[in-house]
Amino acid sequence: MIRILTFVLIAAALAGCENQGGTGPGGGAGGISIGTLDSSDPGTIAYFQTLTGDRVYFEVDQSTLTDEAVATLDSQAEWLMTYQQFTATVEGHADERGTREYNLALGVRRAVAVRDYLINQGVTADRIRTVTYGKERPAETCSNEFCWSVNRRAVTVLEGAATS
């Protein structure tokens, strides 16, 4: 119940929070903006980002998947198995605390945890690559628990285009 309440509070805060230097809503570093595609079409990147969910969050200094992360990754795996014309890059991120080197390594562990989970669900390994950004690409920039919690993430960024 506490995790659900925390998630609701984070979502509410995100809705009212100004993005200050991150990648913007709905995208990783190379993601396509939600506004450029019709999110009502299940075969689009916008649908994946908004309705399937393109990111999962982690606890402090952890790369272990939470129950909420597993639920999102189950949806991602199902979507990726249906729309096999897409490949994905899983971006690992960390909050601002800790050294650059530590956070890069933590980002790797988070991205690999997501990749491995998707592979175990049936997505072929040749369709998923990983990259770490550590603390270099925050979704939010401020020094408080809210910002740190949204920066501890892995984002699945799709490449490819839906065919007609």
Side-chain angles (χ1 to χ4, degrees), residues 64-163:
T64 304
L65 299 172
T66 65
D67 292 341
E68 293 86 359
V70 167
T72 298
L73 294 174
D74 285 341
S75 295
Q76 286 186 16
E78 182 178 337
W79 192 94
L80 286 163
M81 296 292 291
T82 302
Y83 301 99
Q84 294 193 20
Q85 66 271 29
F86 290 94
T87 60
T89 299
V90 180
E91 300 176 345
H93 298 271
D95 65 40
E96 68 183 47
R97 298 170 296 173
T99 66
R100 181 176 188 274
E101 293 76 18
Y102 175 82
N103 284 317
L104 286 170
L106 182 56
V108 167
R109 290 193 305 273
R110 289 173 174 168
V112 167
V114 169
R115 180 201 64 199
D116 289 352
Y117 187 86
L118 292 172
I119 290 169
N120 285 334
Q121 299 307 303
V123 181
T124 58
D126 64 338
R127 293 179 55 212
I128 306 171
R129 68 181 194 96
T130 61
V131 64
T132 182
Y133 292 113
K135 62 182 179 180
E136 305 301 319
R137 295 188 178 187
E140 295 292 336
T141 53
C142 56
S143 295
N144 63 43
E145 183 53 39
F146 166 74
C147 289
W148 296 329
S149 69
V150 296
N151 290 332
R152 295 187 303 258
R153 70 198 189 282
V155 182
T156 304
V157 179
L158 299 176
E159 293 100 25
T163 57

